Amino acid sequence: MKISRFPVPEIATLPEDLRARILAVQEKAGFVPNVFLVLAHRPDEARAFFAYHDALMEKEGGLSKAEREMIVVATSAANQCLYCVVAHGAILRIRAKDPTIADQVATDYRKAGITERQCAMLDFAMKVSQRAQDLGDADFAALRAHGFSDEDAWDIGAIAGLFALSNRMAHLTGMQPNAQFYEMGRAAPPRDGAKR
Amino acid sequence: MKISRFPVPEIATLPEDLRARILAVQEKAGFVPNVFLVLAHRPDEARAFFAYHDALMEKEGGLSKAEREMIVVATSAANQCLYCVVAHGAILRIRAKDPTIADQVATDYRKAGITERQCAMLDFAMKVSQRAQDLGDADFAALRAHGFSDEDAWDIGAIAGLFALSNRMAHLTGMQPNAQFYEMGRAAPPRDGAKR
Amino acid sequence: MKISRFPVPEIATLPEDLRARILAVQEKAGFVPNVFLVLAHRPDEARAFFAYHDALMEKEGGLSKAEREMIVVATSAANQCLYCVVAHGAILRIRAKDPTIADQVATDYRKAGITERQCAMLDFAMKVSQRAQDLGDADFAALRAHGFSDEDAWDIGAIAGLFALSNRMAHLTGMQPNAQFYEMGRAAPPRDGAKR
Amino acid sequence: MKISRFPVPEIATLPEDLRARILAVQEKAGFVPNVFLVLAHRPDEARAFFAYHDALMEKEGGLSKAEREMIVVATSAANQCLYCVVAHGAILRIRAKDPTIADQVATDYRKAGITERQCAMLDFAMKVSQRAQDLGDADFAALRAHGFSDEDAWDIGAIAGLFALSNRMAHLTGMQPNAQFYEMGRAAPPRDGAKR
Amino acid sequence: MKISRFPVPEIATLPEDLRARILAVQEKAGFVPNVFLVLAHRPDEARAFFAYHDALMEKEGGLSKAEREMIVVATSAANQCLYCVVAHGAILRIRAKDPTIADQVATDYRKAGITERQCAMLDFAMKVSQRAQDLGDADFAALRAHGFSDEDAWDIGAIAGLFALSNRMAHLTGMQPNAQFYEMGRAAPPRDGAKR
Amino acid sequence: MKISRFPVPEIATLPEDLRARILAVQEKAGFVPNVFLVLAHRPDEARAFFAYHDALMEKEGGLSKAEREMIVVATSAANQCLYCVVAHGAILRIRAKDPTIADQVATDYRKAGITERQCAMLDFAMKVSQRAQDLGDADFAALRAHGFSDEDAWDIGAIAGLFALSNRMAHLTGMQPNAQFYEMGRAAPPRDGAKR
């Protein structure tokens, strides 16, 4: 199956910085996630996208890395984005050390067995993702009632916003997830032994 | 996690026919799918539901068993039904001998790499599921153009209809899938070696 | 006008149990409601459907028979199901002994002059029918506040679920109501003299 | 049941022209339709409304009077307007000399057994009523293909527009239909003997 | 650009009363707003429309004239009605003596810097405009909590209703705003010096 | 009025590269657009956003700069984003040398008097913006039929995607446009003398 409607560059032909980044990912993951190859068709946009991604997903802050991936999975499922649900679902399973969490959050996060705080986080993220124009002070108050700071609110909303872009790029390009993602993290120990 | 908002009967206390059915499933699958226990709270309704299910899902006809499960997974995902997506996703993986097909059909069947005929089948099923009032002659003609008979059209529509009921019962009861379903069928050989 | 897109069996050719059931209905009602003929094209599915129907609509419980028909009429109208609105509208008029109730509940149950308890029942039923994925504990609490038990909640939700299936079968088959239903129960005494 | 959330004037206290109009309607119909009393709370607006109504509903033109009432019933049902569905449903039954047509058009005009030309008329009216912003040249072409003139298109669209206003006034005021409307025209001869 | 899909009459050929009205508007505004020419194709409907308009927009009452125009602009924007947004946006700027208010109310009235009372007024108007069937006692109570009388509620709802009609007529006719409206009122002093 | 729900940094305190960029914009425009100050609260994200913006909006290609701004205005209006509609509306007026184009594209681009090619461009952009999951080969074919290349399709979709993010950040932060934007470009010569 083609991984993009658009031309996909050879890694060797890419600008040095993108090539280095991709080779580093490949060394760590054992394969090159298709998003790198598909977006690298436009190097300037790719650089900006990955910089934005890292600024939100790799930073310190009030949200755990697993929680950030929950936001990606829940909002991407609402947008029916196959690439993001499958790829970030894998990362979510790994970061949460939970083999079932991604399918739960993707299908219906309200039945996912996550904490009430995490559910409030996803309520906020889904509102930003699906009808941001209705966002109001009450939504921020609901986050605060669960102990989220204003900076956490920015993180939650900005991640939902970044994947509003990312999901649309995946639909535009017809981006296909790598086969490896489907199975990653499914053999982890069951949830009760993990801290999310 | 509770598997139902309503009381869940002990298998030993169930009417003989339901108990026999459940024990047979348990022997075959190695566990009792929660839908049997949750619906058995109302034995008469449970009998009718499983009779309806078998009449549509176990019969011969123009649709393969894997294709029938595709209909269940695609329409249940549109209805955000965790139980049906996870349990029937497992059955779909097994029947299609394809470890990735369920996640693809659940998230965006139009990017699932299925045949055009299967895509037309799911277009029809989704219309029955989500806006049946708009169904018209053109929808039946589209099925015929892909070689489906009128009896196949009934099958497709009736499966979508039955799971419109099933998804609502799952949401009403807060039905949770068994942990086993999440992993079933994921170790099967990759798709290229399988016939769907 | 054709009553179905699919072949309609002769009563004489039907399996004995279905034929007996249909003849019993005919004797009582004076005609054979088209749903029996249309669904009898698939005897196994027809048996399951009618068994499910009777288990929910003919049982004892906290809901009156008129109230159960209200659920059918309100949710079927939301699904634009001509057969169910007209046929169950007739039954509702008869069971409620009220010639105007069905048109009111079908068009806008919130202005139907029913009790607040009945309105809460229909709010719950409509949520199950139209967006069951949003159902939460607050919806069950709202029912309890009007004196409904958990078993009543199951009844309300399951009736809405069954007619989610039924409405889809009617749209799939292009089922037409019998002419008799339109007028049945319209000559009953006005509402004030009736108990619903 | 109250017929309006707002004060309802005594007929005797109304300005002479409105009183004369209402008494004329009462003499002809045998009762005063509630819309006259409810809207007469604001005489200037009432005069404008009835003048607009008569300009569209009582004029000559390419649409029969029954067809104009079909537009009112179909669009008012989409807006869940109890008053307009019930009152204009009665007028439709009488003008079409058909006891079942109103329930059919209100519930699902695509299954109402009307002509293809009438169905095209209602498709156009429903688009004006529900998403007028999407109206384009193709919609006018579809009308012309069924023999409608441009003036007919104006009539269809303007009736849908006027009842967009009327339905909203009915919801604003909580307007209730007179009991008489529910039964009017239901004893007419069956459809086959009538010309619509 | 054509201002209407339908024939546009010459002013000289119009009935005396419409001609007089149009010439009076022209003298005051310096041009003839296209709505007069487009609707005058049907003199009886035009008279009724303008009578209805004046009864609601020119009367005394609890709403300022600027506030009435806010209702028109907000609801017309929701209906994507170019004529009404541009023409009434101009009138709103003039009546509010505020060059930015119209763009704000049209795009997102919740961020328009208007008073909470005005925001409640627009919440009510938008509900009448977009989903009047959901209007209930709580909506009227919300208005009262901001000091609106029941007569004010009628005004707000009726203006939203009238422009539900007006917006549909503009889409039906493909009505184009006069070029003059785009710029009118944009040079007014900034908001802080004005009373709305 | 506050321009953000979050802290807004002093320009002097910003990292050198952001400060230099902002001062350059200020020198050119005569003021600092609020988006720079609001997003600079998070310097890493701000850098990525502006890099992405420039990669799409400042590049050469098949779309004129005015056309790119049309995409921003149309999709931002659909998302009710006050900042983007007002700020990019100003830029659109200037780049198109047309004082009315922004209000037209924001309210209803199908009535904006733009070319059919531009209308096809906005149809595609709106689909990416509002329901990207439905994007299919037919949508790309429609672009090609108007002479757009595949690279143009990427540009159109990516701009719609970037502003899906941008609109959500504006709603998250409650971003307010500078007063200057409302009036910019409104005194330009009328459209007929301009090339878009």
Side-chain angles (χ1 to χ4, degrees):
Chain A
M1 201 180 300
K2 281 174 52 179
I3 67 168
S4 174
R5 279 195 183 95
F6 293 89
V8 177
E10 296 292 323
I11 295 176
T13 68
L14 288 173
E16 174 54 27
D17 61 328
L18 283 174
R19 191 169 69 236
R21 179 175 182 134
I22 288 174
L23 294 176
V25 171
Q26 186 177 31
E27 182 161 327
K28 185 175 169 196
F31 63 97
V32 180
N34 290 339
V35 66
F36 289 97
L37 300 175
V38 172
L39 294 189
H41 173 57
R42 294 275 185 100
D44 288 345
E45 299 165 40
R47 278 183 199 104
F49 180 83
F50 294 118
Y52 216 132
H53 176 276
D54 292 354
L56 283 167
M57 303 300 284
E58 307 292 339
K59 70 189 283 279
E60 298 300 308
L63 308 180
S64 74
K65 287 193 176 176
E67 286 168 342
R68 291 175 218 191
E69 297 296 333
M70 285 182 201
I71 297 170
V72 178
V73 170
T75 60
S76 298
N79 290 334
Q80 297 182 245
C81 180
L82 182 62
Y83 186 88
C84 296
V85 168
V86 170
H88 287 272
I91 304 174
L92 171 54
R93 285 189 295 270
I94 290 169
R95 297 207 161 161
K97 294 188 173 51
D98 182 334
T100 66
I101 182 84
D103 295 346
Q104 293 165 336
V105 168
T107 309
D108 184 357
Y109 70 89
R110 293 169 292 194
K111 294 193 182 63
I114 54 178
T115 65
E116 286 193 21
R117 183 180 173 276
Q118 289 166 339
C119 205
M121 173 189 80
L122 293 179
D123 286 343
F124 189 91
M126 289 293 274
K127 195 161 186 180
V128 173
S129 174
Q130 302 299 307
R131 46 193 186 93
Q133 61 271 31
D134 294 339
L135 211 66
D137 291 342
D139 298 299
F140 287 84
L143 282 187
R144 271 182 227 114
H146 282 91
F148 290 105
S149 71
D150 282 357
E151 293 304 310
D152 295 336
W154 178 298
D155 284 345
I156 298 168
I159 293 170
L162 180 63
F163 281 85
L165 161 59
S166 179
N167 297 165
R168 282 159 180 80
M169 288 309 298
H171 283 303
L172 179 72
T173 58
M175 197 185 294
Q176 281 286 338
N178 307 60
Q180 292 92 329
F181 282 126
Y182 290 90
E183 183 56 14
M184 280 169 62
R186 292 197 181 272
R191 185 186 303 190
D192 287 340
K195 172 173 173 299
R196 281 193 294 223
Chain B
M1 200 181 301
K2 280 174 54 179
I3 67 168
S4 175
R5 278 195 184 94
F6 293 88
V8 177
E10 295 292 322
I11 295 176
T13 68
L14 288 173
E16 174 55 28
D17 61 327
L18 283 174
R19 191 169 69 235
R21 178 174 183 137
I22 288 174
L23 293 176
V25 171
Q26 186 176 32
E27 182 162 328
K28 185 175 169 196
F31 63 97
V32 181
N34 289 340
V35 65
F36 288 97
L37 300 175
V38 173
L39 294 188
H41 173 58
R42 292 278 185 98
D44 288 345
E45 298 165 41
R47 279 182 197 104
F49 180 82
F50 294 118
Y52 215 132
H53 176 276
D54 293 354
L56 283 167
M57 303 301 283
E58 306 292 339
K59 69 189 285 280
E60 299 300 308
L63 308 181
S64 73
K65 287 193 175 176
E67 286 169 342
R68 291 175 217 192
E69 297 296 333
M70 286 182 200
I71 296 170
V72 178
V73 171
T75 61
S76 297
N79 289 333
Q80 297 180 246
C81 179
L82 182 62
Y83 186 88
C84 296
V85 168
V86 170
H88 287 272
I91 304 174
L92 171 55
R93 285 190 296 270
I94 290 169
R95 296 207 162 160
K97 295 188 173 50
D98 183 334
T100 66
I101 182 84
D103 294 346
Q104 293 165 335
V105 167
T107 310
D108 185 358
Y109 71 89
R110 292 167 294 193
K111 294 194 183 60
I114 56 178
T115 65
E116 286 192 21
R117 181 179 174 278
Q118 289 166 338
C119 205
M121 172 188 80
L122 293 180
D123 286 343
F124 189 92
M126 289 293 274
K127 194 162 187 179
V128 173
S129 174
Q130 301 300 308
R131 46 192 186 94
Q133 60 271 31
D134 294 339
L135 212 66
D137 292 341
D139 298 299
F140 287 84
L143 282 187
R144 273 182 225 112
H146 283 92
F148 289 105
S149 70
D150 282 357
E151 294 303 311
D152 295 337
W154 179 299
D155 284 345
I156 298 167
I159 294 169
L162 180 61
F163 281 85
L165 161 59
S166 179
N167 296 165
R168 282 160 179 79
M169 288 308 298
H171 283 303
L172 178 72
T173 58
M175 198 184 294
Q176 282 286 338
N178 306 61
Q180 292 93 330
F181 281 126
Y182 290 90
E183 184 55 17
M184 279 170 62
R186 293 199 180 271
R191 185 185 303 190
D192 288 341
K195 172 173 172 299
R196 281 193 294 221
Chain C
M1 201 181 299
K2 281 174 54 178
I3 66 168
S4 175
R5 279 194 183 95
F6 293 88
V8 177
E10 296 292 321
I11 295 175
T13 68
L14 288 173
E16 175 55 27
D17 61 328
L18 283 174
R19 191 168 69 235
R21 178 173 183 138
I22 288 175
L23 293 176
V25 171
Q26 187 177 30
E27 183 162 326
K28 185 173 168 197
F31 63 96
V32 181
N34 290 339
V35 66
F36 289 97
L37 300 175
V38 172
L39 293 189
H41 174 58
R42 293 277 185 100
D44 288 345
E45 298 165 41
R47 279 183 198 104
F49 180 82
F50 295 118
Y52 216 133
H53 176 277
D54 292 354
L56 283 167
M57 304 300 285
E58 307 292 339
K59 70 189 284 281
E60 299 300 307
L63 307 181
S64 74
K65 288 194 175 176
E67 286 169 342
R68 291 175 216 190
E69 297 296 333
M70 285 183 201
I71 296 170
V72 178
V73 170
T75 60
S76 297
N79 289 333
Q80 297 181 247
C81 179
L82 182 62
Y83 187 87
C84 296
V85 168
V86 170
H88 287 271
I91 304 174
L92 171 55
R93 285 190 295 270
I94 290 169
R95 296 206 162 160
K97 295 188 173 52
D98 183 334
T100 66
I101 181 84
D103 295 346
Q104 293 165 335
V105 168
T107 309
D108 184 358
Y109 70 90
R110 294 168 292 194
K111 293 192 183 62
I114 55 178
T115 66
E116 286 192 21
R117 183 179 173 277
Q118 289 167 338
C119 205
M121 172 188 81
L122 293 179
D123 286 342
F124 188 91
M126 289 292 275
K127 194 161 187 180
V128 173
S129 173
Q130 301 299 309
R131 44 192 188 95
Q133 61 271 32
D134 294 339
L135 211 64
D137 291 342
D139 299 298
F140 287 84
L143 282 187
R144 271 182 227 113
H146 283 91
F148 289 105
S149 70
D150 282 357
E151 294 303 310
D152 295 336
W154 178 300
D155 284 345
I156 297 168
I159 294 170
L162 179 63
F163 282 85
L165 161 58
S166 179
N167 297 164
R168 282 160 179 80
M169 288 309 297
H171 283 302
L172 179 72
T173 57
M175 196 185 296
Q176 281 286 338
N178 307 60
Q180 291 93 330
F181 281 125
Y182 290 90
E183 184 56 15
M184 279 169 61
R186 292 198 181 272
R191 184 186 302 190
D192 287 341
K195 172 172 172 302
R196 283 191 294 222
Chain D
M1 200 181 299
K2 280 175 53 178
I3 67 167
S4 175
R5 277 195 184 95
F6 293 88
V8 176
E10 296 291 322
I11 295 176
T13 69
L14 288 173
E16 174 55 28
D17 60 326
L18 283 174
R19 191 169 70 236
R21 177 172 184 138
I22 288 175
L23 294 176
V25 171
Q26 186 177 31
E27 182 163 327
K28 185 174 169 196
F31 63 96
V32 181
N34 289 340
V35 65
F36 288 97
L37 300 174
V38 173
L39 294 189
H41 174 58
R42 292 277 184 101
D44 288 344
E45 298 165 41
R47 278 182 199 106
F49 180 82
F50 294 119
Y52 216 133
H53 176 276
D54 292 354
L56 282 168
M57 303 301 283
E58 306 292 339
K59 70 187 284 280
E60 299 299 308
L63 308 181
S64 73
K65 287 192 175 177
E67 286 169 342
R68 291 174 217 192
E69 297 296 334
M70 286 182 200
I71 296 171
V72 178
V73 170
T75 60
S76 298
N79 289 334
Q80 298 181 246
C81 179
L82 182 62
Y83 187 88
C84 296
V85 168
V86 170
H88 288 271
I91 304 174
L92 171 54
R93 285 191 294 271
I94 290 169
R95 296 207 161 159
K97 296 186 172 53
D98 182 334
T100 66
I101 181 85
D103 295 346
Q104 293 166 335
V105 167
T107 310
D108 184 357
Y109 70 89
R110 292 168 294 193
K111 293 192 183 61
I114 55 178
T115 66
E116 286 191 21
R117 182 179 173 276
Q118 288 166 340
C119 205
M121 172 188 81
L122 293 180
D123 286 343
F124 189 91
M126 289 292 275
K127 195 161 186 180
V128 172
S129 173
Q130 300 300 307
R131 45 191 186 95
Q133 61 271 32
D134 293 339
L135 211 66
D137 291 342
D139 298 300
F140 287 84
L143 282 187
R144 272 182 226 114
H146 282 91
F148 289 105
S149 70
D150 282 358
E151 293 304 311
D152 295 337
W154 179 299
D155 284 345
I156 298 167
I159 293 169
L162 179 62
F163 282 84
L165 161 59
S166 179
N167 297 164
R168 282 160 179 79
M169 289 308 299
H171 283 302
L172 178 72
T173 58
M175 197 185 295
Q176 281 286 339
N178 307 61
Q180 291 92 331
F181 282 126
Y182 290 90
E183 184 56 16
M184 278 170 62
R186 292 200 180 269
R191 184 187 303 192
D192 288 340
K195 173 173 172 300
R196 283 192 294 220
Chain E
M1 199 181 299
K2 280 175 53 179
I3 66 168
S4 175
R5 279 195 183 96
F6 293 88
V8 177
E10 296 292 322
I11 295 175
T13 68
L14 288 173
E16 174 53 29
D17 61 327
L18 283 174
R19 191 169 69 235
R21 179 176 182 134
I22 288 175
L23 294 176
V25 171
Q26 186 177 31
E27 182 162 327
K28 185 174 168 196
F31 63 96
V32 180
N34 289 340
V35 66
F36 288 97
L37 300 175
V38 172
L39 293 188
H41 173 58
R42 293 277 185 100
D44 288 345
E45 298 165 41
R47 278 183 198 103
F49 179 82
F50 294 118
Y52 215 132
H53 176 277
D54 293 354
L56 283 167
M57 303 300 284
E58 307 292 339
K59 71 190 283 282
E60 298 301 308
L63 308 180
S64 75
K65 286 193 176 177
E67 286 169 341
R68 291 175 216 191
E69 298 296 332
M70 286 182 201
I71 297 170
V72 178
V73 170
T75 61
S76 297
N79 290 333
Q80 298 181 245
C81 179
L82 182 62
Y83 186 87
C84 296
V85 168
V86 170
H88 287 272
I91 304 174
L92 171 54
R93 286 190 294 270
I94 290 169
R95 296 207 162 159
K97 295 188 173 51
D98 182 334
T100 66
I101 181 86
D103 295 347
Q104 293 165 335
V105 168
T107 310
D108 185 358
Y109 71 88
R110 293 168 294 193
K111 294 192 184 63
I114 55 178
T115 65
E116 286 193 20
R117 183 179 172 277
Q118 288 166 340
C119 205
M121 172 188 81
L122 293 180
D123 286 343
F124 188 92
M126 289 293 275
K127 194 161 187 180
V128 173
S129 173
Q130 301 300 307
R131 45 194 187 93
Q133 61 271 31
D134 294 339
L135 211 65
D137 291 342
D139 299 299
F140 287 84
L143 283 187
R144 272 183 226 112
H146 283 91
F148 289 105
S149 70
D150 283 357
E151 294 304 309
D152 295 336
W154 179 298
D155 285 344
I156 297 168
I159 293 170
L162 179 62
F163 281 85
L165 161 59
S166 179
N167 296 165
R168 282 160 180 79
M169 289 308 299
H171 282 303
L172 178 73
T173 58
M175 199 185 294
Q176 281 286 338
N178 307 60
Q180 291 92 330
F181 281 125
Y182 290 90
E183 184 54 17
M184 279 170 62
R186 293 198 181 272
R191 185 185 303 191
D192 287 340
K195 173 173 173 299
R196 282 191 294 221
Chain F
M1 199 181 301
K2 281 174 51 180
I3 67 168
S4 174
R5 278 195 184 94
F6 293 88
V8 176
E10 296 292 322
I11 295 175
T13 69
L14 287 173
E16 173 55 29
D17 61 327
L18 283 174
R19 191 169 69 235
R21 177 173 183 137
I22 288 174
L23 294 176
V25 171
Q26 186 177 31
E27 182 162 326
K28 185 173 168 197
F31 64 96
V32 181
N34 290 340
V35 66
F36 288 97
L37 300 175
V38 172
L39 294 188
H41 173 58
R42 293 276 184 100
D44 288 344
E45 298 165 40
R47 279 184 198 103
F49 180 81
F50 294 118
Y52 216 132
H53 177 277
D54 292 354
L56 283 168
M57 303 301 283
E58 307 291 340
K59 70 188 282 280
E60 298 300 308
L63 307 180
S64 74
K65 288 192 175 176
E67 285 169 341
R68 290 174 218 192
E69 297 296 333
M70 285 182 200
I71 296 170
V72 178
V73 171
T75 60
S76 298
N79 289 333
Q80 297 181 247
C81 179
L82 182 62
Y83 186 88
C84 296
V85 168
V86 170
H88 287 272
I91 304 174
L92 171 54
R93 286 190 295 270
I94 290 170
R95 296 208 161 158
K97 297 187 172 50
D98 183 333
T100 66
I101 182 84
D103 295 347
Q104 293 166 335
V105 168
T107 310
D108 184 358
Y109 70 88
R110 293 169 294 194
K111 293 192 182 63
I114 55 178
T115 65
E116 286 192 20
R117 182 179 173 279
Q118 288 166 339
C119 205
M121 173 189 80
L122 293 179
D123 286 343
F124 188 92
M126 289 293 275
K127 194 161 187 179
V128 173
S129 173
Q130 300 301 308
R131 46 193 186 93
Q133 62 271 32
D134 294 338
L135 211 65
D137 291 341
D139 298 299
F140 287 84
L143 282 187
R144 272 182 226 113
H146 283 91
F148 289 105
S149 70
D150 282 356
E151 294 304 310
D152 295 337
W154 179 298
D155 284 345
I156 298 168
I159 293 170
L162 179 62
F163 282 84
L165 161 59
S166 179
N167 297 164
R168 281 160 180 79
M169 289 308 298
H171 283 303
L172 179 71
T173 57
M175 197 185 295
Q176 282 286 340
N178 306 60
Q180 292 92 331
F181 281 126
Y182 290 89
E183 184 55 17
M184 279 170 61
R186 293 199 180 271
R191 185 186 303 189
D192 288 341
K195 172 173 173 298
R196 282 191 295 221

